[in-house]
Amino acid sequence: MRDTPAANITQQALSYFQSPQPYFWHWVENGEVIEWTNGTTICYREELVQLLSYLAPDGLPSLSTLLLVLAACNDGWGEADDPMRAVYNLLYNSRLSGTRQQPAELKALVDQATSFLQVVAALPPELRKGLGKRQLLFELFAQQYRPLPGRWAQAVVDEWASGRLDTQLLASGPTLTSQRLEVDLSLLSRAYTRFPTTEILDSKLFTGLNQAPEPLELLPLPAAPEAADVLSELAADPKTAGLARLTQRLVASIRIPLHAQGTSDQPFGGVSDVSNQGSFDRLLLSELAQDDLTLTARLVNNEALYLRREEPPHQEQRQRALLLDTTLRMWGIPRVFALAAALVCAMPRRQLFTVSAYALGGHQVQPLDLTTKTGVTQSLAHLDPALHCGGALQEFVRTLPPVPLTEALLFTTAEQVQQPAFALLLSELKPALRFLITVDRTGELQLHEFTKAGRILLNTTHHDLDELLFAPSNLPLRPSSNEQPAFLAQHPAPLFFPTFAYNPGPHNTMHLPDMGVVAVTSLQRILYWPHRTEGARELLSFVEAGKTTFGFNGHMVCLLVSDQAKRLLRYYQLLPEGEMPLTIDLSTEIKDVQSTLEVHFIWPNFLVRVDANIRLIDCRTGVVVKRTYFDHTKKPDVSSERFNNQQIKLHVNNGYNVLLRVNRISIDNEGILTVGGHSLRLINEDRLKFTNKTKDSVGHEAAQAESDSYFLPFNKHVAFRRFVWPNGSEAVVDGRGLLHLRSTDDSVPEITLVLVLGQATAAWAADGKRAGSSYFIGTTPANFTPSDFLPANTFYQQYIQQFIKQLL
């Protein structure tokens, strides 16, 4: 930068951003929009500024190359006139000069580029829009030739973004040459050789691998109840069988030492007092000096004195936190290697540890679920283009419980640990870290322990990753087991949810007369009540804790979650119809904030004030626009201005209570299902309702409650408690106000009931049938047909009574 004169930067900016003539694209609307020559929009200036600034540190490809990829990312690529026809026509234009290749060779180059753009256009929307588009561009241009070097790129982008060159950019550019066309298309041609199909590119973007590991021969599973089922499910899937094999091999390699909590670790104390009650072995010696008659009298009259020992100290359960680095150096094989090591460490002795796992990005800490196959698969999708995870590691350490109760393990690459900046950070944070596990692409795994003296290498092992991950196997796969209730696999949920754990307020609620009520509950769930006559729809099962600011865009609910202390800024687009939400992490926009962070919604934008700067987040596109000013005469459009607490309470609850604390589930002597102190009965042949147990009701066949609870994936506020009958049938109490029943008889589908009192309830069966109150079923659901409705008495006889019958 310092050795580049301003005039040179201006000339480079003109050369980079001016369209050659003739070519497939040009500037319109005073330099705010780039279009195809046929008038189709390619991109807008604001989006292009963000993408170029993101790529600038490593240099920039030619603008024409970037525009072709952006055009392929847009919906409707190739539906009308083929956009690449304009490029084909250039091959036979007499004004092309500087030809280095024959027209046939140029046409082959265009054919390969076109084929690759079709590969990009076929990607799922989440991989070619929003943050997915950034990752796509990073992957395509990584380690490729870039005409504009990184040392000048940002200055060139800033010069263009200033607007000083707009007039010159609209003028006719230099004459297009064959050499320029070759540069623009050669990178796309090389990308086609790397990613010839959409499946390969999809796999690379989603997991960092060009191909999924092949299924392999399985070794006998170690005794590890917490993860044995997960490994079986991973082994049964060809895409994850290699991961299961590698995990099994690492069980013998990773041995984390245990340390006593105290000097002697003995739970016995001294004598704290004397008492007139106790066992004979604790009688005072003076009592034994009495004659037999006196001693007997003192014992009968409770006058004898006993020693009372101190109560043993309460041993708090320790925690094990697994921290997986997901930044740039971990992409590909190292991430799979580290995940396998984390699965091994997620199998502690239950009485010693509770285990939690987290993905560390550049500045963001995200929880992981390593207890289910779905959670493990989703863990592979966490990618962050930051150089190291130091910021996220510091953020995690700030939120740690007291160090003696937490055992933190960091998983990263050996190369990362050797970087001076990251090594210095580790030395500063070592009091909070207990162990370090490093992996590399050669198959070497090292286990280190942090002590007061420094970092000590405990052991090193080597593994053949090619053999473990990619070697083919002809062994039959074992079927996977499904431990989660069938209800959790339905999207959208087949029943509406009851309302509880919700205290309406302007800080957590948006109420619009034409849309309904949307709120964040104390369990960190986002619920939506479109009508007073229907229960809640769950738009999001978990949202981060922080300040919530609601917005809207037509039928779409928008939400911005911010927390200045945690450097958290996350944007959500939620569709009430039940489609998957769009999530954009914008935390990097506030990573350097010093003063108070302000967030408002002024349709159609969220306004975020960061120190002296303004960020506008467009609810229609999710695009962030940077501004240095804003018209403050506009009135913030916030839901609190229309907030009416009483009206909202009437809207979200029609007078029922929710049965939450369930300690006993049984079948009584009348053959009725009882939950706690309430029985599920058929009222007047047309309603299902939980009523108070009668005095004559006696529990006949009870389910035994398990001592441990588990949680809704990604939401530790929603607990599930499992009850098991002697024949193996199960009842699972869902912390969202539901009860799931699973029979050992395969002919009886799983059943889900809504645990409400004071009103009729509703039920759903895993074959799609449902019955009961329309408040929890709806009147015209979009996800099932009227034939799925059953009268309450028919559903009770065909499903609930059949479930009860196999228990008696």
Side-chain angles (χ1 to χ4, degrees):
M1 289 295 294
R2 293 179 180 176
D3 59 352
T4 306
N8 192 14
I9 291 296
T10 301
Q11 185 58 41
Q12 287 199 51
L14 281 173
S15 176
Y16 186 82
F17 288 99
Q18 199 169 34
S19 173
Q21 298 298 323
Y23 215 11
F24 66 90
W25 64 274
H26 61 268
W27 291 96
V28 296
E29 298 186 14
N30 297 322
E32 293 295 324
V33 181
I34 297 180
E35 289 184 348
W36 290 93
T37 53
N38 64 6
T40 304
T41 298
I42 297 179
C43 71
Y44 294 90
R45 183 190 190 106
E46 293 176 349
E47 180 187 16
L48 189 59
V49 170
Q50 292 187 32
L51 293 175
L52 292 176
S53 298
Y54 175 75
L55 298 172
D58 296 321
L60 295 176
S62 70
L63 183 58
S64 299
T65 304
L66 182 63
L67 292 178
L68 288 172
V69 177
L70 295 181
C73 290
N74 294 333
D75 294 331
W77 166 267
E79 290 181 357
D81 294 337
D82 186 356
M84 288 298 289
R85 187 177 303 166
V87 180
Y88 272 109
N89 292 338
L90 294 174
L91 299 176
Y92 308 103
N93 194 306
S94 60
R95 285 176 288 178
L96 279 179
S97 61
T99 302
R100 296 188 304 174
Q101 295 183 339
Q102 297 299 321
E105 296 175 341
L106 279 176
K107 185 178 183 303
L109 190 65
V110 175
D111 287 338
Q112 290 180 331
T114 304
S115 299
F116 177 70
L117 294 176
Q118 296 292 352
V119 169
V120 173
L123 286 171
E126 61 270 18
L127 295 182
R128 53 182 172 84
K129 293 181 181 293
L131 292 182
K133 184 185 296 185
R134 288 189 177 187
Q135 182 187 343
L136 171 64
L137 296 176
F138 178 86
E139 189 63 49
L140 295 183
F141 302 140
Q143 300 179 354
Q144 299 294 323
Y145 168 71
R146 307 192 186 193
L148 186 58
R151 63 181 182 275
W152 297 329
Q154 189 59 57
V156 169
V157 173
D158 292 342
E159 178 69 12
W160 162 68
S162 68
R164 291 188 290 267
L165 305 179
D166 288 355
T167 302
Q168 300 177 65
L169 291 178
L170 293 175
S172 297
T175 302
L176 177 67
T177 65
S178 179
Q179 181 180 358
R180 173 68 179 268
L181 187 62
E182 292 172 27
V183 172
D184 292 344
L185 298 183
S186 59
L187 188 147
L188 300 180
S189 175
R190 291 195 298 271
Y192 184 62
T193 62
R194 295 163 56 204
F195 310 111
T197 66
T198 301
E199 290 72 18
I200 294 177
L201 182 56
D202 187 313
S203 176
K204 182 67 173 180
L205 296 174
F206 192 70
T207 66
L209 301 174
N210 284 2
Q211 62 177 8
E214 297 293 334
L216 301 172
E217 178 183 358
L218 299 178
L219 295 176
L221 290 175
E226 288 81 4
D229 291 339
V230 178
L231 290 182
S232 297
E233 292 183 34
L234 293 173
D237 189 339
K239 295 182 179 180
T240 55
L243 175 62
R245 172 65 177 271
L246 178 57
T247 303
Q248 293 171 333
R249 185 67 60 87
L250 293 180
V251 168
S253 305
I254 300 177
R255 287 288 183 265
I256 298 179
L258 299 177
H259 296 272
Q261 299 181 17
T263 304
S264 62
D265 210 29
Q266 295 295 323
F268 303 110
V271 176
S272 63
D273 198 0
V274 293
S275 171
N276 59 354
Q277 294 182 352
S279 57
F280 291 152
D281 61 320
R282 295 185 180 178
L283 278 169
L284 290 179
L285 292 178
S286 58
E287 296 291 350
L288 299 177
Q290 306 285 350
D291 59 78
D292 292 344
L293 184 60
T294 303
L295 177 59
T296 302
R298 289 178 62 81
L299 291 173
V300 171
N301 295 315
N302 291 328
E303 295 175 352
L305 298 178
Y306 303 82
L307 294 175
R308 175 182 291 173
R309 292 194 174 274
E310 291 180 344
E311 294 292 334
H314 174 67
Q315 296 194 6
E316 300 184 65
Q317 191 172 34
R318 296 170 62 85
Q319 302 179 33
R320 173 174 287 176
L322 309 180
L323 311 177
L324 272 74
D325 183 0
T326 61
T327 54
L328 195 58
R329 288 187 173 89
M330 288 290 291
W331 289 16
I333 294 295
R335 189 151 45 94
V336 181
F337 196 3
L339 180 60
L343 287 173
V344 174
C345 298
M347 302 186 294
R349 299 176 181 176
R350 182 175 297 178
Q351 67 272 21
L352 293 180
F353 295 99
T354 59
V355 181
S356 55
Y358 303 88
L360 302 185
H363 296 277
Q364 198 71 19
V365 181
Q366 295 181 322
L368 299 177
D369 178 17
L370 301 184
T371 62
T372 65
K373 177 191 172 186
T374 300
V376 172
T377 304
Q378 291 176 349
S379 299
L380 286 170
H382 286 273
L383 297 169
D384 195 304
L387 292 178
H388 62 77
C389 63
L393 186 58
Q394 289 177 313
E395 176 63 25
F396 179 83
V397 169
R398 280 197 294 265
T399 61
L400 270 179
V403 173
L405 298 179
T406 303
E407 185 177 82
L409 288 79
L410 175 63
F411 300 79
T412 187
T413 63
E415 179 186 5
Q416 185 74 275
V417 176
Q418 295 172 3
Q419 300 302 311
F422 192 75
L424 178 61
L425 180 64
L426 282 183
S427 65
E428 295 174 353
L429 298 179
K430 69 179 182 180
L433 294 174
R434 182 67 180 278
F435 297 99
L436 171 69
I437 293 180
T438 63
V439 298
D440 65 19
R441 299 176 187 274
T442 65
E444 182 180 272
L445 181 145
Q446 292 186 341
L447 172 62
H448 304 258
E449 182 178 11
F450 291 100
T451 66
K452 294 182 179 180
R455 191 174 78 226
I456 300 175
L457 177 62
L458 298 182
N459 69 298
T460 301
T461 56
H462 296 268
H463 307 274
D464 189 341
L465 299 182
D466 289 336
E467 175 188 352
L468 292 170
L469 288 176
F470 302 107
S473 172
N474 297 321
L475 291 181
L477 299 176
R478 290 184 291 176
S480 61
S481 60
N482 180 17
E483 293 297 330
Q484 296 286 359
F487 184 89
L488 272 65
Q490 307 298 311
H491 299 286
L495 296 175
F496 299 147
F497 290 90
T499 303
F500 67 97
Y502 168 50
N503 185 21
H507 63 286
N508 65 353
T509 305
M510 181 179 74
H511 181 204
L512 296 176
D514 57 344
M515 181 180 291
V517 175
V518 183
V520 179
T521 72
S522 59
L523 299 182
Q524 300 303 123
R525 303 164 62 211
I526 299 182
L527 301 182
Y528 171 53
W529 299 263
H531 312 290
R532 182 178 176 180
T533 57
E534 293 181 350
R537 294 158 171 82
E538 187 178 67
L539 299 187
L540 201 61
S541 61
F542 175 76
V543 65
E544 297 85 355
K547 178 185 177 182
T548 55
T549 306
F550 283 100
F552 60 92
N553 179 27
H555 68 293
M556 184 184 300
V557 179
C558 302
L559 178 68
L560 197 65
V561 181
S562 58
D563 190 314
Q564 180 176 349
K566 296 179 180 179
R567 298 296 191 268
L568 170 68
L569 187 65
R570 183 159 293 184
Y571 170 77
Y572 293 92
Q573 283 184 355
L574 307 169
L575 297 175
E577 290 79 7
E579 287 89 344
M580 295 300 291
L582 169 67
T583 305
I584 303 177
D585 189 356
L586 304 171
S587 300
T588 55
E589 299 290 338
I590 62 170
K591 63 180 180 180
D592 298 322
V593 62
Q594 300 297 327
S595 61
T596 302
L597 177 68
E598 298 181 26
V599 179
H600 303 285
F601 176 70
I602 303 176
W603 192 91
N605 300 310
F606 285 106
L607 185 151
V608 181
R609 189 188 307 278
V610 182
D611 296 330
N613 298 317
I614 301 294
R615 305 289 190 273
L616 295 182
I617 304 173
D618 193 333
C619 285
R620 296 165 296 185
T621 62
V623 173
V624 180
V625 181
K626 298 181 180 181
R627 295 280 181 86
T628 56
Y629 70 95
F630 191 78
D631 185 0
H632 297 284
T633 62
K634 291 185 177 182
K635 187 177 182 180
D637 187 0
V638 294
S639 58
S640 59
E641 296 179 0
R642 295 178 295 275
F643 189 81
N644 185 311
N645 191 290
Q646 187 62 30
Q647 184 180 359
I648 290 177
K649 286 184 177 180
L650 293 175
H651 186 103
V652 303
N653 190 306
N654 67 351
Y656 57 83
N657 294 317
V658 182
L659 182 59
L660 297 176
R661 293 182 175 86
V662 177
N663 296 318
R664 178 180 174 83
I665 299 179
S666 63
I667 308 299
D668 68 11
N669 55 348
E670 299 178 3
I672 302 295
L673 175 68
T674 64
V675 182
H678 305 273
S679 302
L680 178 66
R681 295 184 179 274
L682 185 63
I683 308 298
N684 297 329
E685 298 296 316
D686 63 352
R687 287 187 302 158
L688 293 170
K689 188 175 182 180
F690 283 99
T691 62
N692 292 332
K693 282 197 311 184
T694 62
K695 294 182 178 179
D696 298 332
S697 176
V698 178
H700 174 67
E701 192 71 27
Q704 181 67 36
E706 292 191 342
S707 59
D708 294 334
S709 300
Y710 61 96
F711 300 94
L712 187 68
F714 306 112
N715 190 340
K716 300 302 182 182
H717 301 284
V718 179
F720 287 70
R721 193 177 184 194
R722 185 167 171 261
F723 294 76
V724 183
W725 274 277
N727 75 339
S729 296
E730 301 175 2
V732 177
V733 178
D734 187 328
R736 298 172 295 175
L738 304 173
L739 177 68
H740 309 289
L741 303 174
R742 177 186 296 161
S743 173
T744 53
D745 186 350
D746 293 337
S747 65
V748 181
E750 286 191 37
I751 304 167
T752 296
L753 298 162
V754 184
L755 294 175
V756 292
L757 306 175
Q759 298 284 349
T761 186
W764 169 83
D767 62 0
K769 303 297 183 182
R770 61 202 83 192
S773 171
S774 61
Y775 183 86
F776 296 106
I777 295 178
T779 53
T780 57
N783 58 326
F784 62 96
T785 61
S787 61
D788 290 328
F789 286 100
L790 291 180
N793 57 347
T794 303
F795 188 97
Y796 188 83
Q797 294 170 3
Q798 293 183 2
Y799 296 94
I800 298 176
Q801 282 193 343
Q802 290 301 314
F803 176 83
I804 295 173
K805 181 179 179 180
Q806 53 86 32
L807 294 174
L808 299 177

